[in-house]
Amino acid sequence: MPPNKRKAGLTQPLPDTKQSQLESFTAGSANMLTTNQGLQLPDNHNSLKAGVRGPTLLEDFILREKITHFDHERIPERVVHARGSGAHGIFKVHKPMVQYTSAAFLQDPDLETPVFVRFSTVAGSKGSADTVRDVRGFAVKFYTQEGNYDLVGNNIPVFFIQDAIKFPDLIHAVKPEPHHEMPQAASAHDTFWDFASLMPESTHMLMWAMSDRAVPRSLRMMEGFGIHAFRFVNARGDSHFVKFHWKPKLGVHGLAWDEAQKIAGKDSDFHRRDLWEAIENGDFPEWNLGVQIVDEGKEDELGFDILDPTKLIPEAQVPVQIIGTMVLNRNPDNFFAETEQVAFHPGHLVPGIDFSNDPLLQGRLFSYTDTQLSRLGGANFHEIPINRGVCPMHNFQRDGLHRQTINKGRVAYEPNTLGNGLQGTEFRVDGGTQGFQSYPEQLDSPKIRRRSPSFDDHFSQATLFWNSQSVAEKDHIVAAFRFELSKVDVPEIRQRMVDNLAHVDLKLATRVAAPLGIKSPDPKAAAGRLGFRDHRISNKVNEDPALSMLGRAGASVKTRKIAMLVADGVEAASLRRLQQDLADAGAICKLVAPHLGSVSTASGRQLAVDFTFTNTASVMFDAVLIPGGSQSAAALSAMGEAVHFVLEAYKHCKTICALNDGVQLLSTLGFNLDKNPDVIAVPTAGVIMADARKVADGQVSQDFIAAIALHRHWDRLNIDAVPA
Ligand code: HDE
């Protein structure tokens, strides 16, 4: 039998004798391709044939091994959250949480707990576009010294349904319609709105899903939420309810809907690329971990049922305490091995954290292991490197498909007297006093298949969300409902939905209904429907600033992308100064020109070009600079693509700065720079027109940076009239 000569690719140490044999055969052959059995290949280009022009021989075991492996490269994609992007990082708690929880990773501020995070969309297939309107998954695996803890959340703090038994219906409704498998990764179709309009408990979540939360600018600019109430349990066994929040340090920002749709075509990997590049560039994304804590026994004072996952705890009612920070600092080495094979489960707990009776959470506790069995092909998925814990693991579970561990000894049961157990120790349980302890909640209730009446309020928090939005955010919600419902063919479904919305806010419903070719919304029509409930409780707060994205725009331009539109003859001194000031503030500047290579400046120097108008678009950037230089401005003004670039950025409410002759590109918008050289003009929010001399004294950079930090200028004038 030929000895194994392979070195590269070994993941498990070989037994000692094999290891030394391997080393003695490796010299000089480490780079040879081999079969999976280690046989060196003579040729990786030609199969074995009967003569150079003859048929391929069945005997060609090398060809067959290679093709067989290829044929089995795919595993089933996740039934939901199929499209995802992952990253490694670390988590650190800020101060010991001993008062509330015994979880070891939440005690020591010096302890770094490794994490792996996977962000995802819910509805689309693995190859679908990143920027579709959808909820985003935000799943974090903490590799703690007490075992893996998974916080498997979303970027929206509530969910569509209250009971797990409705999940297959919800997902079947939102996925492509089964007869023709359309549309991909979109809720804008009849079956989704048919279901949603018949499930008024979904209304609160629909408000979030129609807001800009569902079209994030970046995965790095999203909040994350555990959604359900969990329990913190301390060493004395005291329990507190806890809701988890991730707060991004870069702020919470969304795309314009038109922009999101265009990006889906221009770069369907937009979010994946953004996350990857930020980490490669050393701009490590960070989130604070926050908790809302409610004393066990005081949950009734909230005014709604803490177990109902269609409700959030308003931050204005129970503030979020920041307890730690997560930094994502390493991209995966291999997408399949890590991001695809990672297996999250809300039931992966550590001592000190426990479940509540939220009926959605309870159903999830079954689903996740079950789905891994078919997705990852058997019961040993915990042995896949990305899923392995970093703490010791011992039990007597054995065998199964793809078992990696070579268990030693004759004993695979407990109790035993025959075995020394693993590594010479007898592993056992100690009678129940150590390890994970379930919180001993007192239960004395009849077995019953019924919803608690405390879950019957389906609208008050939808109204709270609506009331908490700014004017622009309300406009976006109305526009999103209109868009989605306009794609619904059956008018009765459109009608049913706006009748439901009339229970959130009549003005909202009336605005949504206006262009949909249906009757004015009628709250009574909804209320008359079988199963419809509007047992409204009064909210303890009527508005909560934390529910608005605009209420908390980040004050930084860090990692924001600025397009600088240039052609031959561009005025370079002010361009360079702005580039420098923006780079100092952490922004990323790219030169976009009519051609690749370089452009000549007005003073005859060469500037290297990053992109052309053909291979990029305004939707890839957060802001635009049009420098001065009469020749450059004239060339760009004569190019439809350059003018479109500027108009589109304007329409998407991005900051635009134009210097001297560059202002020509804004003339279609009716903006012209006064010939007064001292002027910095701001004709509408986020449009800065300036003389290059103002650049030299730093004023333009300051104004430009401040405007970009506001993210978008949603209240900009006249955007509906702009043809882009
Ligand atoms: Fe999931 N969910 N889910 N889910 N979920 C899955 O597990 C399920 C729910 C969430 O990046 C699946 O490994 C049921 C809420 C995320 O790998 C599956 C119910 C929340 C991810 C599953 C819910 C989530 C999943 C598919 C209703 C936010 C992606 C593949 C009771 C708190 C994790 C898999 C990743 C994935 C079931 C509802 C978050 C089928 C039955 C609520 C972030 O097990």
Side-chain angles (χ1 to χ4, degrees), residues 48-64:
L48 188 66
K49 294 185 280 293
V52 285
R53 299 182 63 248
T56 301
L57 299 178
L58 183 62
E59 180 195 316
D60 192 352
F61 65 100
I62 294 174
L63 168 74
R64 278 189 286 115

Side-chain angles (χ1 to χ4, degrees), residues 78 81 118 152-154 164 167 344 360 364 367-368 371-372:
R78 288 165 174 80
H81 296 267
R118 185 173 179 274
V152 196
N154 282 346
F167 192 65
F344 293 96
L360 193 69
R364 294 179 72 200
S367 182
Y368 289 69
T371 207
Q372 310 311 345

